[in-house]
Amino acid sequence: MVASSPRTAGQNVRRLAFRRRLQSWRAFLAAGGLPVLVVFMFPVLAIGLGFIAAIVIVAIAAFGAMGFIFRGLDLWQAANRAVQGAKAEENVAKILQELEPQGWSFEYGMRLDDGLGDADVICFSPQQKTYVIDVKSHKGTVIFQDHRLHRRMGRTIYGFKKDFLQIVMKQALQVRDKKKLSFVTPLLVFTRAQLAVSHKKIRGVYVIGQADLVAKLQELG
């Protein structure tokens, strides 16, 4: 099966990053404009409502401006994470290029339903097998405990906010149904983290590092 991919690797995530940047700038503009408007209107407020009431309104505006600033910073950081994720997807796409002369083809950013986002990469092998790759750019050391993936940063272990194994499995099932395939194999690829997990399937998912991706796909066929 030859993939027809209207999107490039990381395209959807870069669009998300751009939208978050715009939202962030809007929040920053609101943070600057709200106090200016209230100060400009202060004489009118003081005359109409009284001096104390006008001071209260100014204080409320100041707190509101701080809220917009924090919102803007959160959105800016979210945009940075999206750019990081897009770069990870682009790097994986470059690595996969060496498989194309061997008859592999790839599709990027397929939209999925039920809150599953996008399928980062769908791989079609020369043996007519299909794989879904979910790309993660987290740092640290990935471990498996209590039936879920965690990451270790120094001596501290953090649980991921989402169950990546469950998500990529659901992505594979949905891709299978949408493309009317008999089976789709899920892979979870970490581009920056070290892995302290088995190279065998974990809850039906292959969890591998970026450097091992090509070899794993060739092994699976």
Side-chain angles (χ1 to χ4, degrees):
M1 178 182 295
V2 178
S4 175
S5 184
R7 302 181 184 87
T8 59
Q11 177 179 321
N12 292 339
V13 188
R14 286 197 176 277
R15 287 177 176 173
L16 174 62
F18 179 73
R19 290 196 300 269
R20 287 174 174 171
R21 293 269 190 247
L22 286 179
Q23 291 171 339
S24 178
W25 279 116
R26 289 170 186 160
F28 290 141
L29 289 173
L34 183 60
V36 170
L37 176 63
V38 172
V39 170
F40 179 77
M41 293 294 295
F42 184 81
V44 176
L45 293 172
I47 294 173
L49 301 175
F51 183 78
I52 299 300
I55 291 294
V56 171
I57 291 175
V58 170
I60 293 173
F63 280 111
M66 291 177 61
F68 280 121
I69 290 174
F70 288 131
R71 174 62 175 164
L73 291 174
D74 286 342
L75 287 167
W76 195 266
Q77 292 174 352
N80 289 341
R81 291 193 295 271
V83 170
Q84 176 182 297
K87 289 179 179 178
E89 293 181 26
E90 291 160 359
N91 289 337
V92 166
K94 289 179 181 178
I95 290 172
L96 293 174
Q97 286 178 353
E98 69 176 271
L99 289 174
E100 291 178 353
Q102 302 174 28
W104 289 75
S105 58
F106 307 97
E107 181 176 342
Y108 300 99
M110 176 181 171
R111 300 285 190 183
L112 300 177
D113 304 321
D114 303 325
L116 293 175
D118 307 327
D120 294 337
V121 191
I122 303 174
C123 310
F124 303 92
S125 81
Q127 289 75 33
Q128 305 300 312
K129 294 181 181 179
T130 307
Y131 305 88
V132 165
I133 299 175
D134 196 12
V135 180
K136 299 300 177 187
S137 58
H138 300 77
K139 292 182 178 180
T141 300
V142 176
I143 64 173
F144 181 68
Q145 68 178 34
D146 300 327
H147 305 289
R148 292 189 60 161
L149 294 178
H150 297 69
R151 63 171 169 165
R152 185 171 60 237
M153 303 288 287
R155 295 183 178 181
T156 306
I157 295 176
Y158 301 91
F160 288 111
K161 293 182 179 179
K162 298 180 180 179
D163 187 347
F164 295 148
L165 297 172
Q166 182 185 65
I167 290 172
V168 70
M169 178 61 75
K170 288 183 177 180
Q171 288 181 343
L173 293 173
Q174 193 169 131
V175 169
R176 180 199 66 185
D177 294 341
K178 283 180 174 290
K179 291 188 172 292
K180 297 179 172 56
L181 301 168
S182 59
F183 190 80
V184 175
T185 301
L187 293 89
L188 190 60
V189 176
F190 286 89
T191 60
R192 300 197 299 169
Q194 296 180 332
L195 301 185
V197 297
S198 169
H199 282 267
K200 297 180 180 179
K201 282 185 178 180
I202 301 175
R203 285 172 48 192
V205 178
Y206 290 103
V207 181
I208 57 178
Q210 175 179 283
D212 300 318
L213 176 57
V214 168
K216 175 57 71 175
L217 289 174
Q218 289 174 324
E219 173 192 329
L220 296 172

